[in-house]
């Protein structure tokens, strides 16, 4: 059973470009979470999605960031018009159930904005 | 404000010694999870302890939870150089879904 898959593992963008990060949850998991980790810091929650629904986006910046988890295919975290401050590691996690269930993390996408 | 705060921030020990890391949190929780992160890598889930549990074991790991003090500890016995990593506690904050992470404890085990 493959774990959580994320791609790309490394992404370099210039200021103003768009970044698109993908996450495929573990087989059988329908709950996906995105977290961001700045250098030397812990992870910060961004958004929680179930298939076709955003459940909690309280950690998402109000502008330029969006997330989706369509009925078919991976979850996508999209960052428009990237700025240097968006440089970070972005981790996706999935769980079988919500709330009290274990979250399993992917290897992360390291975004560098030049 | 941070839900989870780990203590100490950094810990350096010799191989074979035990390592104890502590985590404090602020609000009520359903569960608390411990994760390990090797430098530049993803998070590996170590153990989940529920609010109605007081202690849990997994191999060389022992986790305790004291909900009255809003604190947890992770003990790694007979440490190995391969245990060198950052360790994070994460709580659900009784909100369901999102995890709230502390800043982590950086453990260095010297051979």
């Amino acid at each position: 059973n493959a774990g959580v898959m994320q791609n790309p593992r490394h992404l370099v963008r210039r200021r103003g470009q768009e970044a698109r990060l993908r996450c495929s949850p573990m087989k059988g998991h329908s709950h996906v979470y995105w977290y961001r980790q700045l250098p030397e810091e812990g992870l910060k929650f961004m958004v929680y999605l179930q298939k076709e629904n955003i459940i909690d986006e309280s950690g998402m910046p109000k502008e330029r960031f969006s997330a989706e988890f369509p009925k078919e295919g991976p979850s996508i975290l999209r960052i428009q018009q990237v700025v240097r401050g968006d440089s970070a590691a972005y981790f996706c996690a999935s769980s079988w159930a919500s709330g009290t269930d274990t979250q399993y993390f992917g290897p992360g996408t390291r975004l560098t904005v030049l | 404000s941070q839900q989870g705060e780990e203590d100490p921030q950094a810990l350096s020990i010799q191989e074979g010694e035990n390592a104890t890391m502590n985590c404090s949190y602020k609000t009520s929780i359903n569960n608390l999870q411990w994760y390990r992160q090797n430098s530049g890598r993803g998070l590996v889930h170590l153990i989940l302890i529920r609010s109605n549990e007081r202690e849990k074991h997994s191999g060389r790991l022992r986790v305790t939870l004291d909900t009255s003090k809003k604190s947890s500890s992770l003990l790694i016995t007979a440490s190995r150089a391969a245990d060198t990593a950052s360790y994070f506690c994460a709580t659900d904050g009784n909100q369901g879904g999102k995890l709230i992470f502390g800043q982590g404890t950086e453990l260095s085990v010297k051979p």
Side-chain angles (χ1 to χ4, degrees), chain A residues 9 33 35 37 40-45 48 56 58-59 91 98-108 110, chain B residues 2 30-31 33 35 37 40-45 48 50 88 92 95-104 106:
Chain A
R9 295 290 305 276
Y33 315 81
Y35 296 84
Q37 185 178 34
E40 310 299 328
E41 292 190 14
L43 277 73
K44 298 286 194 294
F45 168 80
Y48 163 31
D56 180 356
S58 58
F91 291 96
S98 67
T100 59
D101 200 30
T102 298
Q103 294 185 21
Y104 295 92
F105 282 76
R110 276 148 187 84
Chain B
Q2 278 299 85
N30 291 310
N31 64 62
Q33 304 185 51
Y35 289 86
Q37 184 180 35
R41 309 289 288 274
L43 276 75
V44 173
H45 182 261
L48 179 152
R50 302 197 185 279
F88 295 93
D92 66 333
Q95 296 176 58
K98 71 180 182 186
L99 292 179
I100 305 168
F101 284 82
Q103 294 290 88
E106 195 171 324

Side-chain angles (χ1 to χ4, degrees), chain A residues 11 20-21 35 38 40 50 55 58 60 81 87 100:
Chain A
L11 183 61
R20 205 173 271 247
L21 289 63
Y35 296 84
L38 295 171
E40 310 299 328
Q50 290 183 39
I55 307 302
S58 58
M60 286 278 270
Q81 299 171 347
S87 294
T100 59

Side-chain angles (χ1 to χ4, degrees), chain B residues 15-103:
Chain B
E15 215 169 22
E17 293 180 337
N18 295 343
T20 300
M21 289 158 269
N22 303 296
C23 168
S24 60
Y25 56 92
K26 294 184 172 64
T27 64
S28 61
I29 61 171
N30 291 310
N31 64 62
L32 184 145
Q33 304 185 51
W34 284 92
Y35 289 86
R36 183 185 76 225
Q37 184 180 35
N38 291 83
S39 181
R41 309 289 288 274
L43 276 75
V44 173
H45 182 261
L46 296 177
I47 202 162
L48 179 152
I49 186 165
R50 302 197 185 279
S51 59
N52 60 353
E53 297 175 308
R54 291 295 166 260
E55 189 171 311
K56 210 161 178 181
H57 296 254
S58 176
R60 293 184 296 114
L61 306 180
R62 174 177 165 249
V63 168
T64 62
L65 179 64
D66 186 336
T67 52
S68 66
K69 294 181 180 177
K70 291 186 169 59
S71 67
S72 173
S73 68
L74 170 67
L75 168 67
I76 304 174
T77 60
S79 64
R80 305 166 182 167
D83 295 328
T84 295
S86 292
Y87 291 81
F88 295 93
C89 71
T91 59
D92 66 333
N94 206 16
Q95 296 176 58
K98 71 180 182 186
L99 292 179
I100 305 168
F101 284 82
Q103 294 290 88

Side-chain angles (χ1 to χ4, degrees), chain B residues 6-19:
Chain B
E6 282 95 340
D7 168 54
Q9 290 191 336
L11 179 61
S12 182
I13 59 174
Q14 294 294 130
E15 215 169 22
E17 293 180 337
N18 295 343

